[in-house]
């Protein structure tokens, strides 16, 4: 089993839709969790950290489920500019970040 | 402005040549990382360093070498022993993890795209 798994997609949604991605991790000792956004041929950029209590930033909501070992990202009211690849990042006890393969999102008019 | 600078942005190499990719940060971060990304794939860890003069192999270190003589700098050498070096190389840095809520997000450079001719 891979350490961090994501559905590669693509998720193809219309503008205004709500879309959710999940990411599962295998190391129960994982300490920190993040969602990054990567545009085509660019470097990843931090979208949001994921806190145990869940957190929201505008249209984006991130949640952590330690019992089932997954994190989620919910995007409401999708915009064309949300089209990108969303990378799940997990840091274990050694604090070395491990990336998922990424989930591709395409928002169409 | 603080950030991470990678150079060169594009690099072409003939088979059998070593090349060195530069990574410099002025964020005063202790930890630095090198990742490789192939088309349609996630990021794979090549090497990382959590402190000056110390570094560790990641998942795909074979054919690569690094040094960490200064806190700000973490150059990566792609040697001729790397069988398939054409890829997008990303350097990142982070604060050392601590007791804070946000434990060391990564900051990336713009990447170096290496093509072997």
């Amino acid at each position: 089993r891979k350490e961090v798994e994501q559905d590669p997609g693509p998720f193809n949604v219309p503008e205004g839709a709500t879309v959710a991605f999940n990411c599962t991790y295998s190391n129960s000792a994982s300490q920190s969790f993040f969602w990054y956004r990567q545009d085509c041929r660019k470097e990843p950029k931090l979208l949001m950290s994921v806190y145990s209590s869940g957190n929201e930033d505008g249209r984006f909501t991130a949640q952590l489920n330690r019992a089932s070992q997954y994190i989620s990202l919910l995007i409401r009211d999708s915009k064309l500019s949300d089209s990108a690849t969303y990378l799940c990042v997990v840091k274990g006890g050694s604090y070395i970040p491990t990336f998922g393969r990424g989930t591709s999102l395409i928002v169409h008019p | 402005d603080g950030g991470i600078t990678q150079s060169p942005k594009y690099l072409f190499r003939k088979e059998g040549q070593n090349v060195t990719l530069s990574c410099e940060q002025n964020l005063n971060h202790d930890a630095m990382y090198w990742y490789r990304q192939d088309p349609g794939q996630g990021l794979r860890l090549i090497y990382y360093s959590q402190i000056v003069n110390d570094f560790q192999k990641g998942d795909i270190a074979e054919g690569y070498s690094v040094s960490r003589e200064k806190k700000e700098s973490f150059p990566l050498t792609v040697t001729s022993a790397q069988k398939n070096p054409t890829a997008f190389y990303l350097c990142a840095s982070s604060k050392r993890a601590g007791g804070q809520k946000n434990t060391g997000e990564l900051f990336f450079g713009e990447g170096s795209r290496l093509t072997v001719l």
Side-chain angles (χ1 to χ4, degrees):
Chain A
R1 182 182 173 186
K2 287 186 181 176
E3 285 190 61
V4 179
E5 292 203 63
Q6 294 182 253
D7 181 347
F11 284 62
N12 207 318
V13 303
E15 270 186 292
T18 295
V19 61
F21 311 134
N22 280 346
C23 166
T24 59
Y25 61 93
S26 59
N27 183 355
S28 59
S30 296
Q31 304 280 341
S32 309
F33 309 88
F34 307 90
W35 283 103
Y36 278 74
R37 171 194 169 128
Q38 186 176 26
D39 293 299
C40 190
R41 300 177 70 84
K42 298 284 189 182
E43 77 276 19
K45 293 186 178 176
L46 180 68
L47 179 66
M48 56 198 306
S49 304
V50 186
Y51 304 137
S52 296
S53 54
N55 47 302
E56 189 174 306
D57 183 2
R59 298 182 292 110
F60 299 85
T61 300
Q63 296 206 310
L64 167 64
N65 185 318
R66 282 194 185 272
S68 300
Q69 293 183 206
Y70 75 85
I71 66 172
S72 63
L73 178 68
L74 181 78
I75 305 175
R76 289 181 298 278
D77 188 24
S78 298
K79 311 290 184 192
L80 295 176
S81 57
D82 292 334
S83 297
T85 297
Y86 291 85
L87 301 168
C88 168
V89 182
V90 175
K91 276 191 170 185
S94 64
Y95 297 105
I96 305 305
T98 301
F99 284 76
R101 255 187 79 182
T103 297
S104 175
L105 173 65
I106 300 170
V107 181
H108 58 81
Chain B
D1 280 3
I4 300 182
T5 302
Q6 285 187 243
S7 64
K9 200 166 182 179
Y10 299 95
L11 184 61
F12 297 89
R13 184 192 98 173
K14 291 182 181 177
E15 281 193 30
Q17 285 182 333
N18 292 356
V19 293
T20 297
L21 307 180
S22 168
C23 178
E24 303 277 331
Q25 55 100 356
N26 60 4
L27 299 165
N28 199 32
H29 285 169
D30 290 299
M32 296 187 75
Y33 312 84
W34 274 104
Y35 289 92
R36 169 182 172 140
Q37 188 174 35
D38 294 283
Q41 302 296 316
L43 277 67
R44 292 185 290 167
L45 184 63
I46 305 172
Y47 268 98
Y48 64 96
S49 168
Q50 296 191 330
I51 198 167
V52 174
N53 290 322
D54 185 59
F55 50 83
Q56 306 295 329
K57 292 182 179 180
D59 301 318
I60 55 165
E62 186 174 347
Y64 299 97
S65 66
V66 293
S67 63
R68 187 86 188 274
E69 296 174 3
K70 298 187 298 182
K71 188 175 186 177
E72 304 79 21
S73 178
F74 191 41
L76 173 75
T77 296
V78 184
T79 75
S80 56
Q82 169 49 235
K83 297 303 177 192
N84 186 18
T86 295
F88 186 41
Y89 290 89
L90 286 157
C91 179
S93 71
S94 69
K95 291 181 186 177
R96 275 181 122 170
Q100 296 178 12
K101 204 175 184 182
N102 184 356
T103 54
E105 70 205 59
L106 290 170
F107 293 79
F108 284 89
E110 292 188 337
S112 293
R113 205 166 289 277
L114 173 63
T115 302
V116 173
L117 303 171

